[in-house]
Amino acid sequence: MGQVVSERSVGSNGGSGPGVNGHGDATIRSYAPATGELLGEVPNTSADEVRAAVARARRAQEAWGALPVEERCQRVLRFRDAIVDRSDEIVDLLSRECGKPRHEALLHEVLVAADMATYFASTAPRALEPREIKLHLFKHRRSFVHYVPRGVVGVISPWNFPFQLALRDVLAAVVAGNAAVLKPSEVTPLIALKQKEIWDGAGMPEDLFQVVTGLGPTGAALIDSGIQLLVFTGSVGTGRRVAAACGERLIPCVMELGGKAPLIACADADVERTAQAIVFGGFANAGQVCLSVERVYAHREIHDRLLERTIEITKGLHVGDPSRAFVDVGAVVFPPQIDVAERHIKDAVEKGASVKTGGKRAPGPGQFFEPTILAGCDHGMTVMTEEIFGPIVPFMQVATEEEAIRLANESHLGLNAYVFSEDTDHARRIAERLQAGGVLVNDVLMNGACPDAPFGGIKQSGFGRVMGEDGLRQMCDVKHINADRVNLGARDPLWFPYTEASYGWFKRGLRALYSSGGLLRRIGELF
Ligand code: NAD
C-alpha cells in the first residue's frame, strides 16, 4: 500500500517535556497537558490489526444493518443513557487528557454528544425512510429512493473535541446501519478508549464500533482497509493527504478541515454582547476550536469601545489547571500549538500590531498560553490569514462594512463566520454574502452543537456535510428503484425497432412537450 504518513505524527509529536504525547514503537503515551503527568499507554495499532478490526466490523454490520432503523435507534439511545450516567468520569478524563475546563467538558463534549445521539435517533427513521419521487415525464413508472447502509465507515478525528466529534460521526454512521471504526488522535487516545468501554458496557454489539489507536500511519491503514466511507476531521495539510489517499482508492470522503472564522462588528452592534462573544468565541477551549473567532473586523465607529471592553473581559479570565479549580481557560493540548501562537504574535508585532493583553506562555508546569488580544492588525500578518488554533484574537479596524465583507472573504478557508448588528435583517443580508459553510448572527460557535443543521466548510475548509438530515443521508448509499405503474405490454414504444414513422412521431413529441405551450406541465398536472 502507498502509505501516506503525517509529518507531524512521526516527526515532532514524539518527545519529552510536560504534556507532550510521546510514542514508542508499539505504544503511544498520553500525558496530561495541564500537569505533564503520564496518564496511560495505548497500542500503536499496526496495519494488519486495523484490517482485522475492519473485517470484524464488517461481519457485525451485516446483522446490524438488517435491523429495522427504529430498533437501531433504540439501542443507540441506551448508549446515550450510559454516557449520561457516566458523565462524571468522562468529564474527569477530558479535563485531565485535554486540560479542558470542567464546564466545557460537560457542556461542549458530554451534553453535545448526548444531544447528537438523541437527534440522530429521533430523526433517522424519518430521514432514512424510502421515499417516492414524482417523475415529471415517465408517468407510467414509479420511482423510489432508498437509503442503504454503506458498510464500514472509517472515522479519523482530532484532539480538540475528542469526545463529541468522534461520536458525532460514529453515531450518525451506526443509526444509518453501518459499522464504525474510529482512529482517534494520538494526542487524546484515552478518551476514545473510554467511549469504547462505555459502548461495550451498555450492551452494544462489540464489533460494530471499534477503536484503533495509533499515529498517522494507523489512519492511513484505515483508509486502505476496505472501508466504504471515510469521515475525516483535522487539519488542511493532513486532509489533503487523506483526500488523495481516498481518491486513489475511490473511497468517498467527508472532509472537515480548518477554519479562520471572521467576526464582523457592524457600527450598530451591541458592544457588550459583541465583546463577550469575542472573548467566548476566541478563548473557549483555549482557542482550539475550528470555529474559533480568529479575526475581528470592527467598524471604525465601534472599534475603540469594542476593543477596550474585549481587553477588559479578557483580563478577568481565569487560566489554569481544570482538575484543581473551576477555571475559564484550560491548557493548550498539543505543545506545538504554543510555538505556532508565538510565531503569529512575533510576526504581527514586527509588522506593527500591538499586544493589548496576554502574548506569552503562562507560568506553571503545564502547557498554558495567556489569552491574547492583538490590535492594529492587517492582512499582511499571518495572524489574520492563517489558522491560529490557539488563544489569540487579532483586531482590525475597517472603514466600511463593504471593506469588512471583502476582507472576511479574502481567505483560503471558509468554515464559519460571524456578524454582529442590532439590525438582524441587515446582518442576515451580510451573512448571505460571506463565503462560509455556516454564518451566525449575534452568536458564536453554537452551530457546532446544533445537530439539526448541516455542518461543514467550503474552500479549503473541506467538503461534504455532517449532522442534519443531509449528514445522516451521507452515511448511506442512495439507491433508486424504478418500477412499472401500468403494464405497457410486451413492446415499449421507446425500444427497437427504430423506424422513419417513429422518428417523426418523436420529433412532433419533442415540439409538443418542450415548446412554450407546456404540454409537459399539463401532463404533470394530470397525475
Ligand atoms: P491533524 O490533521 O494533525 O490530525 C487529525 C487526525 O488525522 C489524527 O487522528 C491523526 O493521527 C490523523 N492522521 C495524521 N496523518 C494521517 C494520515 N496520513 N492518514 C490518515 N490519518 C492521519 O489535526 P489535529 O491537529 O488533530 O486537529 C486540529 C485541526 O483540526 C485544526 O486544523 C482544526 O481546525 C481541525 N478541526 C476541524 C473541525 C471541523 O469540523 N471542520 C473540527 C475540529 C478540528
Side-chain angles (χ1 to χ4, degrees):
M1 132 187 151
Q3 211 173 51
V4 273
V5 175
S6 156
E7 282 151 28
R8 190 197 79 195
S9 298
V10 295
S12 58
N13 192 28
S16 56
V20 177
N21 287 47
H23 63 87
D25 282 338
T27 60
I28 304 169
R29 295 191 300 279
S30 173
Y31 292 89
T35 60
E37 178 198 353
L38 176 63
L39 296 176
E41 204 153 338
V42 304
N44 186 13
T45 312
S46 71
D48 284 346
E49 290 164 331
V50 172
R51 255 191 297 278
V54 170
R56 286 195 302 276
R58 188 174 315 290
R59 285 194 290 277
Q61 189 274 331
E62 283 168 19
W64 178 257
L67 290 176
V69 59
E70 291 79 8
E71 166 79 22
R72 297 197 299 257
C73 291
Q74 280 311 316
R75 297 179 72 173
V76 163
L77 289 177
R78 288 214 290 275
F79 173 57
R80 186 244 1 232
D81 293 347
I83 289 173
V84 174
D85 287 347
R86 297 177 66 173
S87 59
D88 283 343
E89 65 185 283
I90 303 168
V91 166
D92 282 348
L93 183 57
L94 279 163
S95 75
R96 273 150 51 90
E97 197 177 35
C98 299
K100 238 180 234 282
R102 294 181 70 80
H103 281 76
E104 293 182 0
L106 182 71
L107 296 177
H108 304 171
E109 296 266 27
V110 178
L111 186 146
V112 168
D115 189 56
M116 282 176 180
T118 308
Y119 169 80
F120 290 141
S122 59
T123 307
R126 184 177 40 78
L128 303 181
E129 206 173 27
R131 61 190 173 94
E132 182 166 5
I133 45 175
K134 209 173 151 191
L135 302 182
H136 76 284
L137 180 59
F138 295 103
K139 291 297 180 188
H140 60 300
R141 303 195 58 84
R142 297 177 74 188
S143 273
F144 302 86
V145 174
H146 289 247
Y147 297 98
V148 185
R150 289 182 187 263
V152 181
V153 175
V155 175
I156 298 181
S157 62
W159 44 261
N160 62 331
F161 288 94
F163 196 77
Q164 64 108 327
L165 286 181
L167 285 186
R168 174 191 73 186
D169 303 329
V170 166
L171 294 181
V174 299
V175 298
N178 303 287
V181 177
L182 167 67
K183 206 305 272 177
S185 168
E186 57 272 39
V187 185
T188 51
L190 298 181
I191 310 275
L193 293 177
K194 176 63 73 182
Q195 291 171 331
K196 175 66 175 146
E197 181 194 316
I198 297 172
W199 174 275
D200 292 347
M204 300 297 285
E206 230 174 87
D207 288 341
L208 191 73
F209 165 45
Q210 298 190 52
V211 174
V212 288
T213 52
L215 300 168
T218 303
L222 180 59
I223 299 168
D224 200 41
S225 62
I227 56 172
Q228 277 67 52
L229 172 74
L230 180 78
V231 186
F232 174 84
T233 306
S235 62
V236 173
T238 310
R240 217 183 286 282
R241 290 192 287 274
V242 165
C246 289
E248 195 64 38
R249 293 156 184 82
L250 291 176
I251 300 167
C253 57
V254 178
M255 288 282 136
E256 292 289 340
L257 309 178
K260 185 72 194 164
L263 183 147
I264 296 179
C266 298
D268 68 345
D270 175 333
V271 170
E272 184 61 25
R273 181 166 177 87
T274 312
Q276 296 285 356
I278 291 170
V279 173
F280 181 67
F283 304 129
N285 208 35
Q288 302 160 118
V289 188
C290 54
L291 309 175
S292 283
V293 173
E294 288 238 346
R295 46 197 173 123
V296 174
Y297 301 103
H299 193 281
R300 63 181 170 201
E301 282 178 30
I302 195 179
H303 175 272
D304 292 357
R305 282 176 291 143
L306 183 63
L307 176 63
E308 195 183 319
R309 184 63 189 128
T310 307
I311 295 167
E312 219 168 65
I313 303 167
T314 303
K315 284 182 171 165
L317 293 173
H318 293 114
V319 184
D321 177 359
S323 61
R324 299 168 71 89
F326 279 103
V327 295
D328 302 312
V329 180
V332 172
V333 185
F334 185 53
Q337 289 305 131
I338 293 188
D339 305 331
V340 171
E342 284 176 340
R343 268 204 308 277
H344 280 306
I345 292 172
K346 183 168 179 286
D347 174 77
V349 170
E350 277 171 8
K351 291 172 181 165
S354 52
V355 176
K356 293 296 183 184
T357 182
K360 56 185 190 310
R361 290 165 196 255
Q367 300 152 198
F368 296 98
F369 201 86
E370 293 175 353
T372 300
I373 302 288
L374 294 174
C377 298
D378 61 43
H379 275 219
M381 303 167 185
T382 59
V383 77
M384 293 296 284
T385 57
E386 292 172 16
E387 188 178 43
I388 306 167
F389 220 60
I392 303 174
V393 176
F395 268 66
M396 177 170 179
Q397 181 171 322
V398 291
T400 63
E401 280 172 7
E402 284 306 313
E403 186 186 359
I405 294 167
R406 179 179 60 74
L407 290 166
N409 287 340
E410 203 178 275
S411 174
H412 64 292
L413 299 171
L415 190 56
N416 244 29
Y418 307 109
V419 186
F420 279 72
S421 163
E422 292 274 46
D423 181 346
T424 305
D425 291 338
H426 176 64
R428 278 184 60 188
R429 284 193 291 278
I430 294 178
E432 284 171 24
R433 296 176 59 195
L434 294 178
Q435 295 166 1
V439 187
L440 302 184
V441 170
N442 295 328
D443 207 339
V444 286
L445 308 187
M446 63 76 64
N447 57 329
C450 182
D452 320 62
F455 178 87
I458 61 169
K459 302 192 203 174
Q460 291 182 25
S461 288
F463 47 81
R465 290 294 178 266
V466 294
M467 306 204 287
E469 294 189 7
D470 294 339
L472 273 174
R473 291 190 181 130
Q474 193 152 233
M475 295 294 175
C476 299
D477 284 322
V478 177
K479 182 186 281 183
H480 172 198
I481 297 181
N482 178 272
D484 45 338
R485 184 196 298 277
V486 288
N487 187 348
L488 289 185
R491 247 186 51 198
D492 195 301
L494 295 173
W495 298 351
F496 299 134
Y498 297 151
T499 63
E500 197 176 341
S502 67
Y503 184 79
W505 199 87
F506 286 128
K507 199 167 154 185
R508 283 193 295 283
L510 173 77
R511 291 216 179 88
L513 284 170
Y514 301 108
S515 55
S516 46
L519 181 59
L520 189 60
R521 206 179 61 224
R522 270 180 273 150
I523 294 175
E525 283 161 5
L526 287 178
F527 296 92

